[in-house]
Amino acid sequence: MMRILFWVALIVLVIAAIRSKIRGKLRDMTPPPGQPGPGARAHPIRELGATIECAHCHVYFPESEAVTADGRAYCSSEHAHQPHRPG
Ligand SMILES: [Zn+2]
């Protein structure tokens, strides 16, 4: 009976060792920071902080990238030079 318990314990240890090895390999395969990997699906705009709406195309974008013209904020300099679209 003790022999069976010994073998069961040995098999469990081997499976645990193989599983930890596989997990280590998967960690090596994950892309480096900067590239979106599996599980990294956070909203990109939320990470950048405050967002404002472009007065021309009404797209929300980070406030740090805003181009201001005539007191309005635009997503790009091209939109800043185009007339305001109501609505
Ligand atoms: Zn725009």
Side-chain angles (χ1 to χ4, degrees):
M1 190 59 189
M2 284 304 284
R3 275 178 81 104
I4 293 164
L5 282 174
F6 169 77
W7 282 110
V8 169
L10 193 75
I11 289 161
V12 168
L13 277 172
V14 167
I15 288 167
I18 290 166
R19 281 180 76 150
S20 67
K21 261 196 180 177
I22 289 166
R23 217 172 289 163
K25 261 191 187 173
L26 282 173
R27 211 179 295 147
D28 291 343
M29 278 158 67
T30 50
Q35 284 179 28
R41 294 203 127 215
H43 205 277
I45 289 171
R46 275 209 186 143
E47 286 177 3
L48 290 162
T51 57
I52 49 172
E53 188 182 4
C54 175
H56 180 76
C57 64
H58 303 286
V59 156
Y60 284 89
F61 59 97
E63 198 174 6
S64 56
E65 291 173 22
V67 179
T68 48
D70 303 325
R72 288 197 177 96
Y74 298 88
C75 67
S76 61
S77 55
E78 291 147 49
H79 284 183
H81 294 304
Q82 284 172 34
H84 171 62
R85 198 170 65 187

